[in-house]
Amino acid sequence: GENVEQHPSTLSVQEGDSAVIKCTYSDSASNYFPWYKQELGKRPQLIIDIRSNVGEKKDQRIAVTLNKTAKHFSLHITETQPEDSAVYFCAALGNEKLTFGTGTRLTIIP
Amino acid sequence: GAVVSQHPSWVICKSGTSVKIECRSLDFQATTMFWYRQFPKQSLMLMATSNEGSKATYEQGVEKDKFLINHASLTLSTLTVTSAHPEDSSFYICSAREPWRGNGYTFGSGTRLTVV
């Protein structure tokens, strides 16, 4: 089955700086890669996603890049704000199933 | 967007008892729903895929006799944790595919289960 690795597990960033979280996946048939933000005790919230026929997607301060050849995809958050502090999960969709990465706890330092 | 309602949001039960968690799609029909379990500070792990009108498909290592899934209608899937033990304490979340967003998935609000 699919295996998704995510790094780093924790990340502290000064407010206003950029944050980058990276994921790799194993199943070349996976074709959809969402990123979720989860606050404590809450459901995951989709923040951005990318499909396998696209290399990059941007939505205001958030961008995702995908390298299908290397099976890498990354989340980029620019101009970070305190409300960006949360746990972020990448995921890969293959065979109708979403497999999640291990998560990154992002802390924005005011 | 698509809304999935999950109840209860939290439940405390005694060891050995059973607990039922409901997941409803409010504004769309979901022939397939997914059940995840999330332990503290860990990721979401898929437990099983719930299929309307047929048996659920369980992931490797998940006991089907312990985690009973019923998907009797196009809008309701239930997960029953039978003979619960403290190690079953976790955050359980259901999910369904949004019918008008291609590959988009929407999640229920989750159920915090504590077994004492």
Side-chain angles (χ1 to χ4, degrees), chain B residues 9-86:
Chain B
S9 56
W10 60 272
V11 58
I12 302 173
C13 72
K14 290 186 176 181
S15 190
T17 62
S18 296
V19 172
K20 180 185 284 188
I21 302 169
E22 291 189 349
C23 184
R24 291 180 187 273
S25 56
L26 297 187
D27 50 359
F28 66 102
Q29 294 181 335
T31 55
T32 303
M33 288 188 178
F34 304 89
W35 287 96
Y36 294 85
R37 178 169 53 184
Q38 186 178 30
F39 291 109
K41 298 187 178 181
Q42 293 189 23
S43 186
L44 286 80
M45 299 300 295
L46 181 64
M47 298 175 65
T49 302
S50 171
N51 304 298
E52 187 269 334
S54 64
K55 290 184 179 180
T57 305
Y58 290 82
E59 295 300 301
Q60 193 171 10
V62 177
E63 301 174 59
K64 58 184 68 175
D65 293 332
K66 181 170 182 62
F67 299 98
L68 301 180
I69 291 174
N70 185 286
H71 196 151
S73 78
L74 287 170
T75 59
L76 174 65
S77 176
T78 62
L79 168 68
T80 301
V81 182
T82 63
S83 186
H85 289 102

Side-chain angles (χ1 to χ4, degrees), chain A residues 15-92:
Chain A
E15 181 179 355
D17 288 350
S18 296
V20 179
I21 303 171
K22 298 183 179 182
C23 288
T24 61
Y25 62 99
S26 61
D27 188 352
S28 57
S30 290
N31 58 8
Y32 172 68
F33 307 92
W35 285 88
Y36 295 93
K37 177 183 181 182
Q38 188 181 32
E39 297 179 357
L40 189 62
K42 301 288 181 64
R43 77 186 83 194
Q45 296 280 359
L46 178 71
I47 56 172
I48 198 167
D49 56 12
I50 192 167
R51 286 170 172 74
S52 59
N53 58 347
V54 176
E56 184 173 357
K57 183 177 177 181
K58 189 174 182 181
D59 182 5
Q60 299 182 340
R61 296 187 296 111
I62 297 172
V64 57
T65 59
L66 170 65
N67 182 329
K68 276 196 67 178
T69 304
K71 296 186 204 155
H72 290 173
F73 58 116
S74 301
L75 176 71
H76 304 252
I77 305 174
T78 59
E79 301 172 25
T80 53
Q81 301 166 3
E83 52 265 36
D84 293 331
S85 294
V87 178
Y88 290 81
F89 291 98
C90 63

